[in-house]
Amino acid sequence: MRFRRIWVLLSVLVLSIVNLIIAAPLFGVEYSAYNGSIEGTFIAIARVMAKHPGQWSWWPLWNAGMPFENTYLPLLHWFVAAFSGLTGWSAARSFHMVTAGIYVCSALAVFWMALVLSRRLAASFVATLAYSCFSVSALLVPAIRADAGGALNLRRLQILVYWGEAPHTLTLALLPVAVVCFVHALTTNAVKWKILAGVLSAAVVLSNAFGIVALAVALLCWLLAFRPQPWWRAPSIMAAIGVVSYCWTAPWMSPSMIRAILTNPLAGGDLRYTAASWIALAILSGGYVLLWSVLRRAKTTAHVQFFALFGYVPTAITVTWYVWQVALIPQPSRYQLEMDLALLLAVVFGGAAILDRLPRRIRSAAAAAVMIAMALQTVHSVSYARGLIRSVEPGRLSEYKIAKWMDRNRHGDRAFIAGSSSFLYNVFTDNPQFQGGHIQFAVNPFIPGAVYQIQSGTNAGARSAEVSVLWLKAFGARAISVSGPKSTDAYQAFANPRKFDGVLPLLWREGGDAIYEVPSRSPSLAHVIPAAAVVERKPIHGLDIEPVEPYVAALDDPKYPLAAFQWKGMSEAEIRATVDRGQVIAVQVTYDPGWEAYANGKRQPVRGDAIGLMVIEPDCHGPCEISLRYTGGKDRVATRAMSLAAMLVALAFGWAPALRSYFAPMS
């Protein structure tokens, strides 16, 4: 036993060194050379969290505002913001330090899961070493191989560095740990493992949505492979832990976020089910059942069954998408990272099971060949990482120049920022954007349609600029940046980048980038307009401007008094206006039931219009001072109550003997 512990520690040391060497350059990055990466949005969230600690109710910077929890699932951002606050380093430097550390830890988590489930040290070490330096998805899927630049290139590192998949990388580090905690929770008396299983499943939920699916699949595969008895107890315990964990995380996985996801079903492409989807699902489900049946009849060991079943699911999801363009689940291409983890474990442990039946001499030769191959592949991965991980001086980037120009010359104004400039904009400035962030979490359902129309000009013909300006005014944008062919912007989003020439005043141009002014009577986000001008019919698409035209005309009409709007924090604002009968205050901030307005100590009616913006119907006439505050409303009260109840249940479970006896280990 003592020697085994020494070998385990040596294995951990070797795996740590290998992954540290591969990821070492990432620890030194502040701003990545890959400006098309979505990591800019994650850095922006962490930067704002560190700058405004505890003020995490409303996020006014993207999509005309949204509940803070709708920016993204928060666990990674908590880590980065805390690290930035403790060290004093920038959010960008902290982000890369934290994500590099998570990347290293993810391999150690895989090793722990493999060792706990299999009790085979050598196979666990080989599997984790292979995972550390090799990506099976790049080998098997031509499209992934092309994007990674070669079959032997380390895809999960490229996904992190080039595309910015940091939350998904965190999921890969947490998922194996969560599986181990569940295994101990279901097979031991220790209460701590049941509580830890809940904590880790909550951590997976709060890191990335793909982890939720992967954890559910892993637990199902464990049940089918290990078949604990009685059959009903383990699923019951898992379900109980899952319910309590969701309740605990409810304030961050809120009804508002769930509604937003359901409202944006086409985020990532049109992935709605078709006849082909159902046929593929039936075939692959049958394949899963057949695989399970064959493994059982062959009396394969439980851990090999688990790895094989777990490897099958993300592989089927990924390959079905890349080969046949059939989506079995939203954003199926993203499960290639789970494929790399699970399928590689299945191959290594399946191979080990075959080698067990061969003579010792053959096993030794095979082991030597594998280790030589892994050594060579490790050298390749280190070299690949050195070429892949690169920094950039941000002052060279269009994204930086646009953000800093706006900060100096239009400080506080909302602007339409397109392409990769939108990702990085709030890394460099606190100015709000027309769009921004991750579209699947956007609360205002009409902004994506307006953004598409502005950028594409679809079917607008000669009126493209006119229609675009109307939407810009409707949503309170005072400027718009446009990147052309000579820009360093990674995604030059405008079909016609010159369409605003001669239509809008040019404020700034450098290289392929330009900023135009959107003329308006007032830079305020609050406007006094007649009640009849409120948008009451939701436009069908971006060219359906008829219901919005009276509203925009009222914003520009000098006969209505100006209103002053001032943010008092992240989720509070003050409005000063003179209001007559028959008039309302239109606020170009996304409506949410959690907004409350008060005038002279009295609550004022607040509602949403047909394009998702806020309308206040004050009962004060003449000079009116309104305090606007976002409280989260009934949703926030309910989710916080659920979270508190979950914590109390966990405490009660830890102390109540009756509950502990019910959740005793299975025979």
Side-chain angles (χ1 to χ4, degrees):
M1 180 63 71
R2 181 179 178 183
F3 288 111
R4 179 178 173 81
R5 289 178 180 174
I6 292 173
W7 280 111
V8 169
L9 290 174
L10 285 174
S11 298
V12 169
L13 180 62
V14 171
L15 293 170
S16 299
I17 291 172
V18 167
N19 283 275
L20 277 169
I21 293 173
I22 291 172
L26 192 57
F27 285 96
V29 171
E30 183 168 21
Y31 295 101
S32 170
Y34 304 108
N35 54 326
S37 163
I38 60 171
E39 71 175 32
T41 62
F42 305 136
I43 295 171
I45 296 169
R47 183 188 70 81
V48 173
M49 292 178 88
K51 184 177 180 179
H52 301 281
Q55 298 184 42
W56 303 338
S57 293
W58 185 257
W59 177 269
L61 303 181
W62 296 340
N63 296 294
M66 60 177 70
F68 207 113
E69 62 267 20
N70 281 63
T71 55
Y72 204 86
L73 293 165
L75 188 60
L76 174 69
H77 316 312
W78 288 343
F79 289 157
V80 175
F83 190 84
S84 178
L86 289 172
T87 62
W89 292 344
S90 70
R93 172 60 59 81
S94 299
F95 174 85
H96 291 108
M97 291 285 287
V98 169
T99 53
I102 290 169
Y103 180 88
V104 173
C105 291
S106 66
L108 303 181
V110 171
F111 176 71
W112 189 34
M113 179 183 73
L115 186 59
V116 167
L117 292 178
S118 70
R119 304 294 180 186
R120 300 195 58 171
L121 176 57
S124 298
F125 175 78
V126 171
T128 309
L129 183 59
Y131 177 68
S132 300
C133 62
F134 180 72
S135 295
V136 68
S137 64
L139 180 66
L140 297 180
V141 182
I144 296 175
R145 179 164 62 251
D147 190 64
L152 299 181
N153 290 342
L154 191 50
R155 178 63 165 172
R156 69 186 181 98
L157 181 66
Q158 188 227 6
I159 286 280
L160 172 62
V161 173
Y162 188 86
W163 294 112
E165 285 271 25
H168 207 160
T169 300
L170 177 58
T171 293
L172 294 176
L174 293 171
L175 177 64
V177 181
V179 170
V180 170
C181 290
F182 267 100
V183 169
H184 286 304
L186 299 171
T187 57
T188 71
N189 264 327
V191 174
K192 67 179 181 181
W193 287 112
K194 295 175 176 62
I195 295 176
L196 283 172
V199 171
L200 263 296
S201 60
V204 170
V205 168
L206 293 178
S207 62
N208 186 267
F210 304 106
I212 303 171
V213 176
L215 180 58
V217 169
L219 294 178
L220 172 63
C221 294
W222 185 87
L223 289 174
L224 293 174
F226 285 85
R227 298 188 293 279
Q229 298 299 322
W231 66 268
W232 52 268
R233 189 182 294 270
S236 299
I237 296 173
M238 288 179 178
I241 292 173
V243 169
V244 174
S245 297
Y246 170 73
C247 290
W248 185 39
T249 61
W252 303 281
M253 192 69 175
S254 66
S256 170
M257 174 177 278
I258 295 171
R259 283 195 299 269
I261 294 172
L262 295 176
T263 305
N264 295 297
L266 305 185
D270 190 348
L271 304 177
R272 291 172 292 191
Y273 256 53
T274 64
S277 306
W278 289 110
I279 293 170
L281 180 63
I283 293 172
L284 294 171
S285 298
Y288 183 85
V289 173
L290 179 62
L291 175 63
W292 176 60
S293 177
V294 169
L295 291 170
R296 286 191 63 187
R297 290 179 181 274
K299 297 183 179 179
T300 312
T301 55
H303 68 272
V304 173
Q305 291 184 42
F306 169 75
F307 293 134
L309 292 171
F310 187 30
Y312 178 91
V313 177
T315 302
I317 292 170
T318 303
V319 172
T320 302
W321 171 251
Y322 276 107
V323 176
W324 294 290
Q325 291 293 293
V326 174
L328 299 177
I329 199 168
Q331 301 189 51
S333 65
R334 308 285 285 278
Y335 289 92
Q336 60 188 268
L337 295 182
E338 283 75 13
M339 173 185 173
D340 276 346
L341 189 159
L343 184 58
L344 200 52
L345 289 171
V347 170
V348 171
F349 280 94
I354 294 171
L355 287 175
D356 286 342
R357 302 177 183 180
L358 299 178
R360 181 183 181 88
R361 183 173 55 186
I362 296 178
R363 294 203 305 270
S364 299
V370 167
M371 294 310 296
I372 291 171
M374 287 298 97
L376 293 174
Q377 180 61 20
T378 299
V379 171
H380 172 79
S381 294
V382 171
S383 175
Y384 173 69
R386 294 296 182 274
L388 174 70
I389 301 170
R390 295 188 287 117
S391 299
V392 70
E393 170 55 46
R396 298 169 50 193
L397 299 175
S398 296
E399 295 87 347
Y400 178 88
K401 294 174 184 178
I402 290 169
K404 288 302 182 181
W405 191 95
M406 287 295 301
D407 209 36
R408 289 191 304 269
N409 298 281
R410 290 292 188 274
H411 183 73
D413 283 358
R414 181 180 293 162
F416 186 105
I417 309 296
S420 59
S421 296
S422 175
F423 296 164
L424 288 163
Y425 190 68
N426 292 116
V427 173
F428 305 120
T429 178
D430 288 331
N431 285 350
Q433 297 189 56
F434 184 113
Q435 55 171 332
H438 301 265
I439 195 65
Q440 65 266 36
F441 302 132
V443 176
N444 190 320
F446 196 74
I447 283 181
V451 169
Y452 174 78
Q453 186 61 49
I454 291 169
Q455 293 181 164
S456 71
T458 299
N459 297 325
R463 298 187 63 203
S464 179
E466 175 191 344
V467 171
S468 297
V469 170
L470 182 136
W471 288 122
L472 292 168
K473 289 186 173 185
F475 284 97
R478 310 303 170 204
I480 180 169
S481 75
V482 180
S483 297
K486 295 182 180 179
S487 171
T488 64
D489 191 295
Y491 307 106
Q492 293 163 21
F494 284 87
N496 178 10
R498 308 290 295 199
K499 73 177 180 179
F500 295 112
D501 287 352
V503 177
L504 295 177
L506 178 66
L507 297 174
W508 172 83
R509 187 187 296 278
E510 182 176 323
D513 303 302
I515 298 176
Y516 299 89
E517 182 179 20
V518 180
S520 60
R521 268 207 317 143
S522 165
S524 175
L525 292 176
H527 307 271
V528 177
I529 64 171
V534 173
V535 184
E536 300 292 1
R537 178 177 72 79
K538 182 178 179 180
I540 301 170
H541 46 66
L543 280 178
D544 184 15
I545 59 175
E546 183 269 333
V548 186
E549 288 176 315
Y551 167 65
V552 173
L555 299 180
D556 287 336
D557 196 330
K559 72 181 178 184
Y560 301 114
L562 296 176
F565 180 96
Q566 183 177 3
W567 286 106
K568 295 295 186 180
M570 293 289 287
S571 56
E572 295 185 39
E574 183 179 87
I575 299 172
R576 295 185 304 278
T578 300
V579 186
D580 287 337
R581 295 185 184 279
Q583 295 178 340
V584 298
I585 299 176
V587 184
Q588 291 166 316
V589 173
T590 295
Y591 170 73
D592 184 275
W595 279 109
E596 296 178 358
Y598 292 87
N600 302 319
K602 183 178 178 182
R603 189 164 177 174
Q604 306 295 304
V606 181
R607 67 181 180 90
D609 66 13
I611 56 173
L613 299 177
M614 199 184 323
V615 178
I616 302 173
E617 300 172 332
D619 62 2
C620 55
H621 305 292
C624 192
E625 190 169 302
I626 297 175
S627 174
L628 195 61
R629 182 172 70 247
Y630 182 75
T631 65
K634 295 179 181 178
D635 277 1
R636 182 154 296 181
V637 173
T639 54
R640 288 181 175 177
M642 291 166 63
S643 187
L644 177 61
M647 288 186 281
L648 293 175
V649 166
L651 288 173
F653 181 78
W655 288 96
L659 284 174
R660 290 203 299 272
S661 64
Y662 176 77
F663 287 101
M666 298 163 288
S667 59

